[in-house]
């Protein structure tokens, strides 16, 4: 493998972009060796769906686009990031909270941890943030 592989796509902050983000990441990972039908591909699709949905729903028109980054480094770590231009970071809800929305980040944290990964949030130079999921790539391969 090369030192690293990376790919990114910027999409409008619109509901239809969530499905496009899922298709994009699934396609990139298939090119890198992860079969689209693999159970781990389903996990990645759900993570991307939740992150893209947050970028669309919770930026309140302050981020007309969001960017999906996919990186595979030489240490065989897969990083998927969703960047938007809104300065507010996602809130961490207590596990006991009962509500219909706001659960996306809890789901993402759980899925990342279940796969041996982690979630981090980094500020961008433009005042927004990137929500990153880092996962061990070897675990994803059949």
């Amino acid at each position: 493998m090369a030192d690293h592989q990376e790919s990114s796509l910027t999409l409008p902050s619109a509901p239809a972009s969530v499905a496009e983000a899922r298709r994009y990441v699934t396609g990139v990972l298939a090119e890198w060796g992860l079969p689209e039908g693999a159970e781990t591909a389903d996990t990645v699709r759900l993570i991307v769906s939740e992150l893209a949905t947050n970028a669309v729903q919770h930026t309140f028109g302050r981020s007309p686009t969001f960017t999906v980054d996919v990186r595979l480094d030489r240490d065989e770590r897969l990083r998927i990031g969703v960047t938007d231009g809104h300065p507010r970071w996602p809130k961490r809800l207590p596990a006991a909270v009962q509500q219909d929305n706001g659960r996306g980040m809890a789901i993402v944290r759980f899925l990342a941890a279940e796969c041996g990964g982690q979630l981090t949030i980094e500020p961008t130079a433009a005042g927004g943030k990137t929500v990153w999921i880092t996962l061990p790539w070897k675990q994803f391969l059949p």
Side-chain angles (χ1 to χ4, degrees), residues 22 26 29 34-49 111 115 140:
R22 280 193 309 265
T26 301
L29 296 182
L34 179 64
E36 288 190 41
E39 182 178 327
T40 50
D42 291 338
T43 300
V44 170
R45 272 192 290 277
L46 181 54
I47 288 171
V48 171
S49 185
L111 290 171
C115 293
F140 279 71

Side-chain angles (χ1 to χ4, degrees), residues 59-121:
T59 58
F60 306 108
R62 293 188 57 190
S63 183
T65 63
F66 68 94
T67 300
V68 180
D69 291 293
V70 186
R71 299 178 183 167
L72 183 57
D73 67 24
R74 69 173 162 250
D75 296 329
E76 299 208 8
R77 289 179 303 157
L78 174 64
R79 295 190 79 209
I80 300 171
V82 175
T83 303
D84 66 60
H86 195 286
R88 187 172 65 189
W89 287 26
K91 294 181 180 173
R92 188 173 207 165
L93 296 176
V97 172
Q98 298 292 322
Q99 64 185 54
D100 291 338
N101 62 6
R103 295 296 212 188
M105 292 304 288
I107 291 168
V108 169
R109 283 181 199 280
F110 173 80
L111 290 171
E114 189 175 67
C115 293
Q118 64 182 0
L119 179 145
T120 56
I121 304 171

